[in-house]
Amino acid sequence: YPLFDVLFLTVCAVITGAEGWEDIEDFGRAHLGWLQEKGLFEQGLPVHDTIARVISRLDAEQFQQCFIRWVNSLCEVTEERFIAIDGKALRSSYDRNSRTSTIHMVSAFCAQNKLVLGQVKTEKKSNEITAIPELLRVLDLKGCLITIDAMGCQKEIAETIVNSGGDYLLAVKGNQKKLFHAIKSEFSALEDDIKESPLERQHGRLEIREYRVIPAPKTEPFNDWHGIKSIGQAVSFRYDKAGKKCSLEYRYYISSAELNEETFATGVREHWGIENSLHW
């Protein structure tokens, strides 16, 4: 049986929910006519044991790299391509009987195309720091703005992105305490220049967002970050009509791109897309 035929059958079956070799064989028998119309399995369908032997001989790492390159070739490259990278534990992946650990995946998500460009499996949440560089190495980052939450705000990750031809937009929180307070101080020193923003109504909430971006100072701790050019502040005011509660939140970012407020706002909001369009 041609390798391509077996791979194509397996991928299609798994996409539709197959969870084992017998499920894959059942899928193939149910769709044999459709497969043969495409020139596949001209000599008939293999049994599930044969499918299992073929797939088990594959080099999983090589297959993953081939798959990622194929997916990237499908993703149309636009002038401003935003790639969000984030981790998520897979629901129902913990097996109580065998005490198998929960599967945690780090994904690269192209916001404009709504397409996962690649994924890397980690053992624990803390391993995102090591998994992100591994994922970056197999992606084409040229001309892209890579957005990562505070977990990935690491100097090595920033340097990897810039050296690969991309730009980073990294959220900064308490894990980079010195940088966080320096950015906060820079924006506190500015005069309030708040512009009117449209009021958003959704899911019983009223929300106003503001974005400010300025050139990064050439002093410590900013000059410790490879290629840094901009720092940003995102402010969100939210009123929950049901609970009648108000909240005001400030978030801070660094970037190797010379961002204007529009591009900065788009990058921040597109990163949320990985939660709404992928994780959820």
Side-chain angles (χ1 to χ4, degrees):
Y1 302 96
L3 176 61
F4 177 88
D5 296 20
V6 178
L7 285 175
F8 184 81
L9 167 66
T10 303
V11 171
C12 289
V14 170
I15 287 173
T16 59
E19 296 182 351
W21 308 116
E22 293 182 358
D23 289 354
I24 295 171
E25 181 184 354
D26 290 343
F27 174 89
R29 297 204 179 283
H31 298 85
L32 183 58
W34 176 74
L35 292 165
Q36 290 182 332
E37 284 178 7
K38 301 184 179 303
L40 308 177
F41 298 111
E42 294 178 349
Q43 304 301 319
L45 197 76
V47 297
H48 60 272
D49 285 339
T50 302
I51 298 171
R53 283 195 296 270
V54 171
I55 298 300
S56 67
R57 294 296 300 273
L58 294 177
D59 183 316
E61 186 175 337
Q62 289 291 327
F63 179 77
Q64 181 193 40
Q65 291 178 5
C66 291
F67 193 87
I68 289 174
R69 285 197 295 268
W70 172 64
V71 172
N72 272 266
S73 72
L74 301 178
C75 186
E76 180 182 353
V77 179
T78 56
E79 185 175 345
E80 290 183 342
R81 187 177 172 199
F82 298 90
I83 298 178
I85 294 180
D86 196 22
K88 187 72 172 178
L90 299 188
R91 185 178 179 182
S92 303
S93 60
Y94 175 68
D95 189 339
R96 292 183 180 274
N97 296 326
S98 62
R99 296 185 179 180
T100 303
S101 299
T102 300
I103 296 175
H104 193 86
M105 300 292 290
V106 176
S107 305
F109 183 73
C110 184
Q112 290 97 326
N113 300 75
K114 298 293 187 289
L115 186 67
V116 176
L117 303 179
Q119 291 181 318
V120 172
K121 177 183 174 184
T122 69
E123 292 297 331
K124 298 178 182 178
K125 180 75 172 177
S126 59
N127 286 342
E128 275 190 36
I129 296 174
T130 57
I132 290 174
E134 182 182 344
L135 181 56
L136 291 172
R137 281 193 291 270
V138 297
L139 298 175
D140 180 9
L141 305 181
K142 292 178 182 177
C144 300
L145 185 64
I146 314 302
T147 64
I148 312 177
D149 63 15
M151 175 70 76
C153 186
Q154 305 291 330
K155 294 176 183 177
E156 295 80 5
I157 291 175
E159 186 173 355
T160 298
I161 293 172
V162 173
N163 291 341
S164 299
D167 284 303
Y168 57 79
L169 177 61
L170 307 178
V172 182
K173 291 185 179 178
N175 62 326
Q176 296 289 347
K177 192 173 182 179
K178 189 175 181 181
L179 179 64
F180 175 80
H181 287 295
I183 298 174
K184 188 176 180 180
S185 177
E186 289 292 328
F187 281 102
S188 297
L190 297 177
E191 294 183 6
D192 289 335
D193 184 22
I194 302 298
K195 304 172 185 176
E196 275 194 40
S197 296
L199 181 64
E200 300 180 16
R201 294 178 172 86
Q202 54 181 346
H203 308 299
R205 298 191 305 265
L206 301 178
E207 193 162 359
I208 297 175
R209 297 188 181 96
E210 283 295 333
Y211 302 91
R212 295 199 292 180
V213 61
I214 59 176
K218 300 184 183 301
T219 56
E220 290 188 357
F222 301 103
N223 55 13
D224 292 335
W225 292 80
H226 190 76
I228 186 171
K229 292 180 181 176
S230 306
I231 58 176
Q233 179 192 63
V235 185
S236 63
F237 172 80
R238 177 182 294 179
Y239 174 68
D240 185 344
K241 292 190 289 184
K244 295 184 178 180
K245 294 181 180 179
C246 296
S247 63
L248 181 64
E249 184 179 10
Y250 291 83
R251 293 186 300 277
Y252 299 98
Y253 299 82
I254 60 172
S255 179
S256 60
E258 294 180 352
L259 300 176
N260 54 37
E261 290 182 356
E262 182 180 356
T263 305
F264 171 58
T266 302
V268 171
R269 301 195 66 168
E270 291 288 10
H271 186 81
W272 298 339
I274 197 171
E275 289 287 345
N276 299 327
S277 302
L278 176 62
H279 292 337
W280 187 86

PDB file of all heavy atoms in Angstrom, residues 22 31 47 55 59 67 75 82 120 122 125-126 149 163 173 184 218 225 240 248 253 255 262 266 271 276:
ATOM      1  N   GLU A  22      -8.690   0.405  14.658  1.00  0.00           N
ATOM      2  CA  GLU A  22      -9.932  -0.164  14.123  1.00  0.00           C
ATOM      3  C   GLU A  22     -10.875   0.938  13.649  1.00  0.00           C
ATOM      4  O   GLU A  22     -11.576   0.771  12.643  1.00  0.00           O
ATOM      5  CB  GLU A  22     -10.603  -1.044  15.176  1.00  0.00           C
ATOM      6  CG  GLU A  22      -9.801  -2.308  15.498  1.00  0.00           C
ATOM      7  CD  GLU A  22     -10.496  -3.193  16.517  1.00  0.00           C
ATOM      8  OE1 GLU A  22     -11.584  -2.797  16.988  1.00  0.00           O
ATOM      9  OE2 GLU A  22      -9.952  -4.266  16.827  1.00  0.00           O
ATOM     10  N   HIS A  31     -15.748   4.955   3.564  1.00  0.00           N
ATOM     11  CA  HIS A  31     -15.491   5.971   2.535  1.00  0.00           C
ATOM     12  C   HIS A  31     -14.591   5.440   1.423  1.00  0.00           C
ATOM     13  O   HIS A  31     -13.933   6.221   0.736  1.00  0.00           O
ATOM     14  CB  HIS A  31     -14.836   7.211   3.171  1.00  0.00           C
ATOM     15  CG  HIS A  31     -15.689   7.886   4.204  1.00  0.00           C
ATOM     16  ND1 HIS A  31     -15.721   7.484   5.524  1.00  0.00           N
ATOM     17  CD2 HIS A  31     -16.557   8.932   4.104  1.00  0.00           C
ATOM     18  CE1 HIS A  31     -16.561   8.262   6.187  1.00  0.00           C
ATOM     19  NE2 HIS A  31     -17.084   9.151   5.351  1.00  0.00           N
ATOM     20  N   VAL A  47      -5.939  -3.752   6.449  1.00  0.00           N
ATOM     21  CA  VAL A  47      -6.599  -3.978   7.734  1.00  0.00           C
ATOM     22  C   VAL A  47      -5.930  -3.093   8.785  1.00  0.00           C
ATOM     23  O   VAL A  47      -4.852  -2.534   8.559  1.00  0.00           O
ATOM     24  CB  VAL A  47      -6.519  -5.459   8.142  1.00  0.00           C
ATOM     25  CG1 VAL A  47      -7.265  -6.329   7.136  1.00  0.00           C
ATOM     26  CG2 VAL A  47      -5.075  -5.906   8.275  1.00  0.00           C
ATOM     27  N   ILE A  55       2.132   3.241  10.432  1.00  0.00           N
ATOM     28  CA  ILE A  55       2.208   4.497  11.183  1.00  0.00           C
ATOM     29  C   ILE A  55       3.267   4.414  12.283  1.00  0.00           C
ATOM     30  O   ILE A  55       3.984   5.390  12.555  1.00  0.00           O
ATOM     31  CB  ILE A  55       0.834   4.854  11.789  1.00  0.00           C
ATOM     32  CG1 ILE A  55      -0.206   5.072  10.676  1.00  0.00           C
ATOM     33  CG2 ILE A  55       0.938   6.112  12.655  1.00  0.00           C
ATOM     34  CD1 ILE A  55       0.128   6.174   9.704  1.00  0.00           C
ATOM     35  N   ASP A  59       8.887   8.392  11.793  1.00  0.00           N
ATOM     36  CA  ASP A  59       9.613   9.223  12.742  1.00  0.00           C
ATOM     37  C   ASP A  59       8.691  10.395  13.102  1.00  0.00           C
ATOM     38  O   ASP A  59       8.424  11.264  12.268  1.00  0.00           O
ATOM     39  CB  ASP A  59      10.908   9.746  12.106  1.00  0.00           C
ATOM     40  CG  ASP A  59      11.764  10.559  13.067  1.00  0.00           C
ATOM     41  OD1 ASP A  59      11.186  11.401  13.791  1.00  0.00           O
ATOM     42  OD2 ASP A  59      12.987  10.359  13.091  1.00  0.00           O
ATOM     43  N   PHE A  67       4.549  18.219   8.488  1.00  0.00           N
ATOM     44  CA  PHE A  67       3.178  18.705   8.624  1.00  0.00           C
ATOM     45  C   PHE A  67       3.151  20.208   8.831  1.00  0.00           C
ATOM     46  O   PHE A  67       2.347  20.926   8.219  1.00  0.00           O
ATOM     47  CB  PHE A  67       2.499  17.991   9.799  1.00  0.00           C
ATOM     48  CG  PHE A  67       1.006  18.175   9.842  1.00  0.00           C
ATOM     49  CD1 PHE A  67       0.167  17.330   9.136  1.00  0.00           C
ATOM     50  CD2 PHE A  67       0.438  19.210  10.570  1.00  0.00           C
ATOM     51  CE1 PHE A  67      -1.210  17.502   9.163  1.00  0.00           C
ATOM     52  CE2 PHE A  67      -0.935  19.387  10.604  1.00  0.00           C
ATOM     53  CZ  PHE A  67      -1.758  18.528   9.908  1.00  0.00           C
ATOM     54  N   CYS A  75      -0.852  28.964   4.516  1.00  0.00           N
ATOM     55  CA  CYS A  75      -1.167  30.224   5.186  1.00  0.00           C
ATOM     56  C   CYS A  75      -0.679  31.390   4.328  1.00  0.00           C
ATOM     57  O   CYS A  75       0.525  31.570   4.154  1.00  0.00           O
ATOM     58  CB  CYS A  75      -0.515  30.246   6.561  1.00  0.00           C
ATOM     59  SG  CYS A  75      -0.963  31.676   7.551  1.00  0.00           S
ATOM     60  N   PHE A  82       0.229  38.392  12.041  1.00  0.00           N
ATOM     61  CA  PHE A  82       0.315  38.255  13.483  1.00  0.00           C
ATOM     62  C   PHE A  82       0.245  36.779  13.848  1.00  0.00           C
ATOM     63  O   PHE A  82      -0.684  36.071  13.449  1.00  0.00           O
ATOM     64  CB  PHE A  82      -0.825  39.012  14.174  1.00  0.00           C
ATOM     65  CG  PHE A  82      -0.804  40.494  13.921  1.00  0.00           C
ATOM     66  CD1 PHE A  82      -1.493  41.031  12.837  1.00  0.00           C
ATOM     67  CD2 PHE A  82      -0.102  41.344  14.753  1.00  0.00           C
ATOM     68  CE1 PHE A  82      -1.478  42.396  12.596  1.00  0.00           C
ATOM     69  CE2 PHE A  82      -0.086  42.712  14.527  1.00  0.00           C
ATOM     70  CZ  PHE A  82      -0.772  43.243  13.445  1.00  0.00           C
ATOM     71  N   VAL A 120       3.669  22.136  19.881  1.00  0.00           N
ATOM     72  CA  VAL A 120       4.680  21.347  20.576  1.00  0.00           C
ATOM     73  C   VAL A 120       4.087  20.894  21.903  1.00  0.00           C
ATOM     74  O   VAL A 120       3.487  21.697  22.628  1.00  0.00           O
ATOM     75  CB  VAL A 120       5.976  22.159  20.824  1.00  0.00           C
ATOM     76  CG1 VAL A 120       6.928  21.381  21.723  1.00  0.00           C
ATOM     77  CG2 VAL A 120       6.660  22.480  19.500  1.00  0.00           C
ATOM     78  N   THR A 122       4.233  19.696  25.748  1.00  0.00           N
ATOM     79  CA  THR A 122       5.076  19.829  26.937  1.00  0.00           C
ATOM     80  C   THR A 122       4.483  18.978  28.052  1.00  0.00           C
ATOM     81  O   THR A 122       3.325  18.570  27.997  1.00  0.00           O
ATOM     82  CB  THR A 122       5.166  21.289  27.411  1.00  0.00           C
ATOM     83  OG1 THR A 122       3.884  21.692  27.919  1.00  0.00           O
ATOM     84  CG2 THR A 122       5.580  22.203  26.282  1.00  0.00           C
ATOM     85  N   LYS A 125       3.095  23.061  32.670  1.00  0.00           N
ATOM     86  CA  LYS A 125       2.953  24.464  32.292  1.00  0.00           C
ATOM     87  C   LYS A 125       4.295  25.195  32.321  1.00  0.00           C
ATOM     88  O   LYS A 125       4.579  26.016  31.461  1.00  0.00           O
ATOM     89  CB  LYS A 125       1.968  25.147  33.257  1.00  0.00           C
ATOM     90  CG  LYS A 125       1.721  26.614  32.993  1.00  0.00           C
ATOM     91  CD  LYS A 125       0.832  26.827  31.802  1.00  0.00           C
ATOM     92  CE  LYS A 125       0.437  28.302  31.661  1.00  0.00           C
ATOM     93  NZ  LYS A 125      -0.367  28.549  30.474  1.00  0.00           N
ATOM     94  N   SER A 126       5.139  24.869  33.285  1.00  0.00           N
ATOM     95  CA  SER A 126       6.409  25.576  33.419  1.00  0.00           C
ATOM     96  C   SER A 126       7.336  25.327  32.237  1.00  0.00           C
ATOM     97  O   SER A 126       8.275  26.072  32.005  1.00  0.00           O
ATOM     98  CB  SER A 126       7.110  25.143  34.711  1.00  0.00           C
ATOM     99  OG  SER A 126       7.345  23.751  34.701  1.00  0.00           O
ATOM    100  N   ASP A 149       2.343  35.791  25.708  1.00  0.00           N
ATOM    101  CA  ASP A 149       1.991  36.333  27.018  1.00  0.00           C
ATOM    102  C   ASP A 149       3.213  36.388  27.927  1.00  0.00           C
ATOM    103  O   ASP A 149       4.326  36.041  27.527  1.00  0.00           O
ATOM    104  CB  ASP A 149       0.838  35.546  27.647  1.00  0.00           C
ATOM    105  CG  ASP A 149       1.193  34.088  27.907  1.00  0.00           C
ATOM    106  OD1 ASP A 149       2.388  33.741  27.884  1.00  0.00           O
ATOM    107  OD2 ASP A 149       0.270  33.283  28.139  1.00  0.00           O
ATOM    108  N   ASN A 163      16.363  37.087  15.454  1.00  0.00           N
ATOM    109  CA  ASN A 163      17.348  36.413  14.603  1.00  0.00           C
ATOM    110  C   ASN A 163      16.705  35.592  13.496  1.00  0.00           C
ATOM    111  O   ASN A 163      17.361  35.271  12.504  1.00  0.00           O
ATOM    112  CB  ASN A 163      18.254  35.517  15.449  1.00  0.00           C
ATOM    113  CG  ASN A 163      19.180  36.317  16.346  1.00  0.00           C
ATOM    114  OD1 ASN A 163      19.409  37.508  16.117  1.00  0.00           O
ATOM    115  ND2 ASN A 163      19.724  35.684  17.373  1.00  0.00           N
ATOM    116  N   LYS A 173       4.963  41.192  32.874  1.00  0.00           N
ATOM    117  CA  LYS A 173       4.325  41.173  34.201  1.00  0.00           C
ATOM    118  C   LYS A 173       5.401  41.008  35.272  1.00  0.00           C
ATOM    119  O   LYS A 173       6.572  41.288  35.048  1.00  0.00           O
ATOM    120  CB  LYS A 173       3.279  40.057  34.277  1.00  0.00           C
ATOM    121  CG  LYS A 173       2.048  40.309  33.414  1.00  0.00           C
ATOM    122  CD  LYS A 173       0.993  39.236  33.625  1.00  0.00           C
ATOM    123  CE  LYS A 173      -0.249  39.516  32.785  1.00  0.00           C
ATOM    124  NZ  LYS A 173      -1.280  38.447  32.948  1.00  0.00           N
ATOM    125  N   LYS A 184       6.202  50.793  33.536  1.00  0.00           N
ATOM    126  CA  LYS A 184       5.131  51.481  34.264  1.00  0.00           C
ATOM    127  C   LYS A 184       5.548  52.907  34.605  1.00  0.00           C
ATOM    128  O   LYS A 184       4.753  53.855  34.480  1.00  0.00           O
ATOM    129  CB  LYS A 184       4.813  50.692  35.532  1.00  0.00           C
ATOM    130  CG  LYS A 184       3.595  51.193  36.282  1.00  0.00           C
ATOM    131  CD  LYS A 184       3.297  50.281  37.469  1.00  0.00           C
ATOM    132  CE  LYS A 184       2.079  50.777  38.235  1.00  0.00           C
ATOM    133  NZ  LYS A 184       1.778  49.893  39.400  1.00  0.00           N
ATOM    134  N   LYS A 218      16.797  53.992  25.773  1.00  0.00           N
ATOM    135  CA  LYS A 218      18.059  53.295  25.503  1.00  0.00           C
ATOM    136  C   LYS A 218      18.876  53.111  26.782  1.00  0.00           C
ATOM    137  O   LYS A 218      20.101  53.153  26.775  1.00  0.00           O
ATOM    138  CB  LYS A 218      18.860  54.061  24.454  1.00  0.00           C
ATOM    139  CG  LYS A 218      18.132  54.211  23.127  1.00  0.00           C
ATOM    140  CD  LYS A 218      18.992  54.880  22.082  1.00  0.00           C
ATOM    141  CE  LYS A 218      18.230  55.097  20.782  1.00  0.00           C
ATOM    142  NZ  LYS A 218      17.736  53.855  20.191  1.00  0.00           N
ATOM    143  N   TRP A 225      17.358  43.952  26.303  1.00  0.00           N
ATOM    144  CA  TRP A 225      16.472  43.147  25.456  1.00  0.00           C
ATOM    145  C   TRP A 225      16.840  43.331  23.997  1.00  0.00           C
ATOM    146  O   TRP A 225      16.888  44.445  23.493  1.00  0.00           O
ATOM    147  CB  TRP A 225      15.013  43.514  25.719  1.00  0.00           C
ATOM    148  CG  TRP A 225      14.594  43.083  27.082  1.00  0.00           C
ATOM    149  CD1 TRP A 225      14.841  43.713  28.267  1.00  0.00           C
ATOM    150  CD2 TRP A 225      13.896  41.882  27.414  1.00  0.00           C
ATOM    151  NE1 TRP A 225      14.331  42.993  29.313  1.00  0.00           N
ATOM    152  CE2 TRP A 225      13.747  41.857  28.827  1.00  0.00           C
ATOM    153  CE3 TRP A 225      13.371  40.832  26.662  1.00  0.00           C
ATOM    154  CZ2 TRP A 225      13.106  40.819  29.491  1.00  0.00           C
ATOM    155  CZ3 TRP A 225      12.729  39.799  27.313  1.00  0.00           C
ATOM    156  CH2 TRP A 225      12.608  39.793  28.715  1.00  0.00           C
ATOM    157  N   ASP A 240     -19.499  45.453  34.322  1.00  0.00           N
ATOM    158  CA  ASP A 240     -20.340  44.256  34.233  1.00  0.00           C
ATOM    159  C   ASP A 240     -21.741  44.635  34.696  1.00  0.00           C
ATOM    160  O   ASP A 240     -21.968  44.894  35.880  1.00  0.00           O
ATOM    161  CB  ASP A 240     -19.754  43.147  35.113  1.00  0.00           C
ATOM    162  CG  ASP A 240     -20.511  41.834  34.976  1.00  0.00           C
ATOM    163  OD1 ASP A 240     -21.644  41.849  34.452  1.00  0.00           O
ATOM    164  OD2 ASP A 240     -19.971  40.796  35.385  1.00  0.00           O
ATOM    165  N   LEU A 248     -10.643  48.269  36.275  1.00  0.00           N
ATOM    166  CA  LEU A 248      -9.703  49.024  35.450  1.00  0.00           C
ATOM    167  C   LEU A 248      -8.383  48.260  35.449  1.00  0.00           C
ATOM    168  O   LEU A 248      -7.835  47.968  36.508  1.00  0.00           O
ATOM    169  CB  LEU A 248      -9.498  50.430  36.016  1.00  0.00           C
ATOM    170  CG  LEU A 248      -8.552  51.349  35.249  1.00  0.00           C
ATOM    171  CD1 LEU A 248      -9.101  51.639  33.857  1.00  0.00           C
ATOM    172  CD2 LEU A 248      -8.329  52.649  36.019  1.00  0.00           C
ATOM    173  N   TYR A 253       3.772  46.069  27.569  1.00  0.00           N
ATOM    174  CA  TYR A 253       4.370  45.247  26.512  1.00  0.00           C
ATOM    175  C   TYR A 253       5.693  45.853  26.050  1.00  0.00           C
ATOM    176  O   TYR A 253       5.925  47.061  26.180  1.00  0.00           O
ATOM    177  CB  TYR A 253       3.427  45.164  25.307  1.00  0.00           C
ATOM    178  CG  TYR A 253       2.087  44.539  25.606  1.00  0.00           C
ATOM    179  CD1 TYR A 253       1.057  45.299  26.169  1.00  0.00           C
ATOM    180  CD2 TYR A 253       1.841  43.198  25.326  1.00  0.00           C
ATOM    181  CE1 TYR A 253      -0.176  44.738  26.444  1.00  0.00           C
ATOM    182  CE2 TYR A 253       0.606  42.634  25.603  1.00  0.00           C
ATOM    183  CZ  TYR A 253      -0.399  43.397  26.162  1.00  0.00           C
ATOM    184  OH  TYR A 253      -1.616  42.833  26.445  1.00  0.00           O
ATOM    185  N   SER A 255       8.346  45.522  22.433  1.00  0.00           N
ATOM    186  CA  SER A 255       8.341  45.047  21.046  1.00  0.00           C
ATOM    187  C   SER A 255       9.632  45.443  20.349  1.00  0.00           C
ATOM    188  O   SER A 255      10.220  46.491  20.637  1.00  0.00           O
ATOM    189  CB  SER A 255       7.147  45.619  20.281  1.00  0.00           C
ATOM    190  OG  SER A 255       7.159  45.181  18.933  1.00  0.00           O
ATOM    191  N   GLU A 262      -2.131  51.932  16.268  1.00  0.00           N
ATOM    192  CA  GLU A 262      -3.064  51.044  15.559  1.00  0.00           C
ATOM    193  C   GLU A 262      -2.512  49.622  15.475  1.00  0.00           C
ATOM    194  O   GLU A 262      -3.222  48.647  15.767  1.00  0.00           O
ATOM    195  CB  GLU A 262      -3.344  51.586  14.159  1.00  0.00           C
ATOM    196  CG  GLU A 262      -4.349  50.750  13.386  1.00  0.00           C
ATOM    197  CD  GLU A 262      -4.612  51.311  11.997  1.00  0.00           C
ATOM    198  OE1 GLU A 262      -4.062  52.386  11.667  1.00  0.00           O
ATOM    199  OE2 GLU A 262      -5.370  50.675  11.241  1.00  0.00           O
ATOM    200  N   THR A 266      -3.867  46.242  17.379  1.00  0.00           N
ATOM    201  CA  THR A 266      -4.215  45.038  16.620  1.00  0.00           C
ATOM    202  C   THR A 266      -3.467  43.823  17.143  1.00  0.00           C
ATOM    203  O   THR A 266      -4.034  42.747  17.319  1.00  0.00           O
ATOM    204  CB  THR A 266      -3.900  45.232  15.127  1.00  0.00           C
ATOM    205  OG1 THR A 266      -4.621  46.368  14.631  1.00  0.00           O
ATOM    206  CG2 THR A 266      -4.308  44.007  14.328  1.00  0.00           C
ATOM    207  N   HIS A 271      -3.906  38.652  19.725  1.00  0.00           N
ATOM    208  CA  HIS A 271      -3.420  37.593  20.620  1.00  0.00           C
ATOM    209  C   HIS A 271      -4.570  36.957  21.383  1.00  0.00           C
ATOM    210  O   HIS A 271      -4.551  35.758  21.662  1.00  0.00           O
ATOM    211  CB  HIS A 271      -2.381  38.145  21.595  1.00  0.00           C
ATOM    212  CG  HIS A 271      -1.752  37.075  22.429  1.00  0.00           C
ATOM    213  ND1 HIS A 271      -0.721  36.280  21.968  1.00  0.00           N
ATOM    214  CD2 HIS A 271      -2.031  36.622  23.687  1.00  0.00           C
ATOM    215  CE1 HIS A 271      -0.390  35.405  22.906  1.00  0.00           C
ATOM    216  NE2 HIS A 271      -1.165  35.601  23.957  1.00  0.00           N
ATOM    217  N   ASN A 276     -10.077  32.781  22.044  1.00  0.00           N
ATOM    218  CA  ASN A 276     -11.460  32.695  21.569  1.00  0.00           C
ATOM    219  C   ASN A 276     -11.634  31.735  20.395  1.00  0.00           C
ATOM    220  O   ASN A 276     -12.631  31.024  20.296  1.00  0.00           O
ATOM    221  CB  ASN A 276     -11.953  34.097  21.155  1.00  0.00           C
ATOM    222  CG  ASN A 276     -11.923  35.061  22.319  1.00  0.00           C
ATOM    223  OD1 ASN A 276     -12.132  34.670  23.452  1.00  0.00           O
ATOM    224  ND2 ASN A 276     -11.646  36.318  22.038  1.00  0.00           N
TER     225      ASN A 276
END
